[in-house]
């Protein structure tokens, strides 16, 4: 029985049950068809899991009158049934491979960039110690205008870098770097009493020894604002004492200084000394890791040498504090180049020089003399390669100075280091074709502790043969 309240209602007035709400649609619906296989291993019609599949209703494929297992899977013929502009299977494979190739290329480029960045950091460390400030590259007034040069990027082994010949310089450079590092927090780093670049005396003592020489042969040829280049500048101490003498004795200041050294740590020390410890002593400073000698006595084919990166006729004064001789230029000691330096030197002297009895351990005195002559000629060739580089970068008429030259082999019993005789410099103008005024050449004996050595002064000719041809 119906309630009394519903008894009088007819069928037309009976309310209908409200319809169920429609299922929610995803923003991006994709029709995934489930594949089933019957007992005959044939595909049965897929069953849709959602009613709505906008945009994908044409992706179904028919194989043998039946729909494929997955609407978007490639069939046996490599065709995906796309008829409305969608990518084909081959196109998708091609683009997939292209994408993978791009990913590989990007990865390789990233690795290369990282490696180059690391190398760039290492290169930058060559020119920085504790200072992070940017060093100024000297702008030099050359015959063809102002020019900037940069350090060489290619390295090669020097002729005198044989065995242990340069080890004592490398140890000294590292000791000086450690000295600077331990005192880096001090307002002023004392260096007046330290020894440097293999010399047996202190900075102050060396400064007093060189003072008369610097005043007489440097001051008259420089003025404030000029440029100086030191070949084989070592730790930069020689340049610093030179600047101090020029400023105090001759009132010459604001000089542009530059130099090179074969030992990398020496270059770092020079940069730190002139850009951090004593930056006010020069207008700008620039140092490079480079070889001081050319590849020949006439032409240079060594990009690591000075003339490989320094413009010709650039500096108002060019000098070197020392030309490092080759201990054994003709191989007298044999293949054992790792003998201690003093042992090698004494062995050569013992073989070729005997100051007591005027004979040697060679088979005859004449044989010793012949070998000694050959030895000396090889040493002179080596010195000439250094001088070639010094002359080339000096301005016309500029002074060229060589300090602390050892005497020739067997010429003095207290200095066994093999250098060159004093007449080598005048002979060199004709022998090697130096662009030097032969009348300007002077040799000056040094004082203690190098009283058996001498220094050389000469000037580049005011006009070279090329200049005369142009005139």
């Amino acid at each position: 029985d119906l309630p009394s309240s519903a008894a009088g209602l007819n069928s037309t007035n009976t309310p209908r049950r409200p319809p169920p709400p429609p299922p929610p649609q995803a923003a991006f619906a994709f029709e995934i068809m489930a594949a089933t296989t019957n007992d005959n291993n044939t595909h049965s019609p897929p069953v849709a899991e959602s009613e709505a599949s906008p945009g994908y209703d044409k992706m179904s494929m028919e194989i043998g009158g039946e729909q494929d297992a997955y609407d978007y899977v490639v069939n046996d013929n490599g065709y995906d049934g796309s008829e409305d502009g969608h990518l084909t299977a081959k196109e998708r494979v091609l683009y997939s491979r292209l994408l993978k190739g791009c990913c590989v290329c990007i990865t390789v480029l990233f690795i290369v960039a990282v490696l180059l960045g690391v190398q760039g950091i290492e290169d930058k460390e060559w020119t920085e110690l504790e200072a992070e400030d940017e060093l100024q590259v000297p702008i030099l007034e050359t015959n063809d205008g102002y020019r900037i040069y940069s350090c060489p990027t290619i390295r090669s082994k020097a002729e005198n870098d044989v065995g242990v010949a340069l080890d004592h310089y490398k140890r000294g450079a590292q000791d000086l770097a450690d000295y600077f590092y331990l005192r880096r927090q001090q307002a002023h780093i004392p260096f007046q009493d330290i020894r440097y670049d293999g010399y047996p005396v202190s900075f102050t003592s060396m400064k007093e020894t060189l003072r008369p020489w610097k005043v007489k042969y440097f001051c008259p040829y420089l003025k404030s604002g000029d440029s100086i280049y030191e070949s084989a500048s070592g730790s930069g101490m020689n340049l610093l004492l030179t600047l101090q003498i020029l400023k105090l004795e001759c009132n010459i200041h604001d000089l542009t200084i530059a130099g090179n050294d074969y030992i990398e740590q020496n270059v770092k020390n020079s940069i730190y000394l002139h850009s951090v410890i004593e930056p006010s002593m020069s207008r700008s400073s620039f140092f490079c890791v480079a070889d001081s000698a050319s590849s020949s006595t006439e032409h240079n084919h060594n990009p690591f040498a000075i003339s490989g990166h320094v413009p010709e006729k650039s500096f108002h004064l060019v000098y070197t504090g020392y030309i490092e001789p080759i201990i054994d230029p003709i191989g007298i000691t044999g293949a054992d180049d790792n003998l201690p330096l003093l042992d090698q030197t004494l062995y050569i002297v013992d073989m070729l020089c005997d100051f007591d009895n005027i004979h040697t351990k060679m088979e005859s005195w004449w044989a010793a003399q012949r070998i000694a002559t050959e030895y000396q000629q090889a040493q002179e060739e080596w010195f000439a390669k250094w001088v070639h580089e010094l002359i080339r970068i000096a301005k016309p008429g500029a002074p060229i100075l060589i300090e602390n030259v050892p005497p020739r082999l067997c010429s003095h019993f207290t200095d066994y280091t093999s250098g060159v005789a004093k007449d080598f410099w005048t002979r060199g103008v004709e022998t090697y074709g130096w662009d030097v005024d032969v009348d300007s050449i002077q040799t000056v004996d040094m004082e203690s502790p190098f009283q058996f050595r001498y220094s050389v002064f000469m000037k580049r000719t005011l006009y070279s043969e090329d200049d005369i041809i142009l005139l």
Side-chain angles (χ1 to χ4, degrees):
D1 293 339
L2 294 175
S4 59
S5 59
L9 295 179
N10 54 29
S11 59
T12 58
N13 294 329
T14 302
R16 297 173 178 262
R17 180 180 297 176
Q25 296 184 355
F28 299 97
F30 189 89
E31 182 180 3
I32 301 177
M33 310 299 294
T36 59
T37 305
N38 55 21
D39 297 337
N40 296 327
N41 200 26
T42 60
H43 296 290
S44 61
V47 180
E49 292 188 0
S50 64
E51 294 294 335
S53 57
Y56 296 94
D57 53 350
K58 294 183 179 181
M59 291 186 64
S60 61
M61 296 180 297
E62 297 295 328
I63 302 177
E66 295 183 348
Q67 195 175 33
D68 190 54
Y70 295 96
D71 285 21
Y72 52 91
V73 176
V74 183
N75 62 19
D76 295 338
N77 297 323
Y79 173 70
D80 61 358
S82 177
E83 297 179 355
D84 60 349
H86 293 287
L87 295 178
T88 65
K90 291 183 179 179
E91 290 173 338
R92 286 201 300 273
V93 172
L94 178 62
Y95 287 140
S96 176
R97 292 178 179 176
L98 182 62
L99 181 60
K100 292 179 181 179
C102 292
C103 292
V104 172
C105 292
I106 293 174
T107 303
V108 172
L109 291 176
F110 177 76
I111 295 174
V112 172
V114 171
L115 294 177
L116 291 177
V118 172
Q119 183 63 39
I121 294 174
E122 293 177 354
D123 293 341
K124 187 177 181 180
E125 289 177 351
W126 288 1
T127 56
E128 293 181 353
L129 268 175
E130 294 300 312
E132 298 295 337
D133 54 326
E134 182 178 357
L135 302 177
Q136 299 182 30
V137 178
I139 303 178
L140 307 171
E141 184 180 359
T142 60
N143 290 343
D144 55 352
Y146 290 91
R147 187 182 304 177
I148 298 176
Y149 72 87
S150 59
C151 293
T153 57
I154 300 176
R155 294 193 180 189
S156 59
K157 191 172 184 178
E159 288 187 48
N160 62 338
D161 185 7
V162 180
V164 298
L166 303 181
D167 283 3
H168 61 297
Y169 290 115
K170 296 176 182 179
R171 289 193 299 269
Q174 188 59 53
D175 290 343
L176 184 60
D178 294 340
Y179 179 86
F180 287 158
Y181 181 79
L182 293 175
R183 292 160 179 80
R184 66 190 183 282
Q185 301 297 338
Q186 298 181 13
H188 182 73
I189 299 178
F191 54 84
Q192 288 76 10
D193 296 329
I194 64 174
R195 297 178 181 180
Y196 65 95
D197 297 343
Y199 291 119
V201 296
S202 66
F203 175 88
T204 301
S205 177
M206 197 66 181
K207 181 178 176 180
E208 294 305 314
T209 299
L210 295 175
R211 185 186 299 274
W213 158 259
K214 301 280 188 182
V215 171
K216 184 176 181 178
Y217 292 99
F218 281 62
C219 289
Y221 305 97
L222 290 171
K223 65 181 184 300
S224 297
D226 282 352
S227 57
I228 297 179
Y229 191 96
E230 183 185 7
S231 171
S233 53
S235 62
M237 291 290 189
N238 192 310
L239 261 174
L240 180 58
L241 65 85
T242 301
L243 294 175
Q244 292 180 350
I245 293 173
L246 292 175
K247 184 175 182 179
L248 295 176
E249 301 290 342
C250 313
N251 195 28
I252 297 175
H253 48 83
D254 294 330
L255 297 173
T256 295
I257 61 172
N260 74 280
D261 200 83
Y262 180 74
I263 299 174
E264 180 182 330
Q265 189 59 61
N266 269 336
V267 174
K268 291 182 177 181
N269 292 340
S270 298
I271 294 171
Y272 190 75
L273 179 65
H274 288 278
S275 63
V276 178
I277 301 179
E278 293 289 344
S280 62
M281 292 303 300
S282 60
R283 181 174 61 182
S284 62
S285 60
F286 190 55
F287 299 91
C288 289
V289 180
D291 196 349
S292 295
S294 62
S295 57
S296 72
T297 58
E298 297 180 358
H299 304 285
N300 175 52
H301 302 287
N302 179 12
F304 190 44
I306 296 174
S307 59
H309 65 284
V310 179
E312 185 179 4
K313 302 177 182 178
S314 297
F315 290 89
H316 296 92
L317 185 146
V318 179
Y319 83 104
T320 181
Y322 183 60
I323 294 180
E324 179 69 24
I326 298 180
I327 300 301
D328 188 8
I330 61 174
I332 296 177
T333 59
D336 191 3
D337 296 322
N338 293 317
L339 285 173
L341 187 62
L342 181 60
D343 292 348
Q344 291 189 53
T345 304
L346 294 178
Y347 179 84
I348 294 172
V349 170
D350 193 32
M351 293 292 290
L352 302 181
C353 312
D354 193 328
F355 300 99
D356 296 330
N357 302 316
I358 318 179
H359 66 81
T360 70
K361 292 185 178 180
M362 303 296 292
E363 294 181 357
S364 68
W365 183 85
W366 297 107
Q369 289 299 302
R370 184 174 65 253
I371 295 177
T373 301
E374 182 183 351
Y375 180 98
Q376 190 59 40
Q377 289 175 348
Q379 199 69 263
E380 289 182 357
E381 289 284 320
W382 169 245
F383 270 65
K385 293 177 181 179
W386 277 58
V387 177
H388 173 271
E389 295 292 273
L390 298 177
I391 296 172
R392 182 187 177 279
I393 64 175
K395 287 178 175 290
I400 302 161
L401 306 99
I402 299 92
E403 299 176 342
N404 195 23
V405 180
R408 69 185 301 272
L409 181 69
C410 302
S411 64
H412 207 286
F413 63 90
T414 59
D415 196 335
Y416 296 139
T417 305
S418 174
V420 294
K422 291 182 178 181
D423 65 350
F424 162 77
W425 305 99
T426 53
R427 288 189 288 107
V429 177
E430 181 178 358
T431 304
Y432 305 108
W434 291 342
D435 187 16
V436 169
D437 181 5
V438 67
D439 295 329
S440 69
I441 299 177
Q442 302 179 47
T443 58
V444 180
D445 293 332
M446 295 191 67
E447 300 179 359
S448 178
F450 306 107
Q451 62 267 33
F452 302 111
R453 298 185 178 186
Y454 66 94
S455 296
V456 182
F457 171 89
M458 54 187 178
K459 294 173 65 177
R460 184 170 186 174
T461 55
L462 190 58
Y463 297 103
S464 64
E465 294 182 0
D466 295 336
D467 294 332
I468 295 175
I469 292 174
L470 291 175
L471 292 175

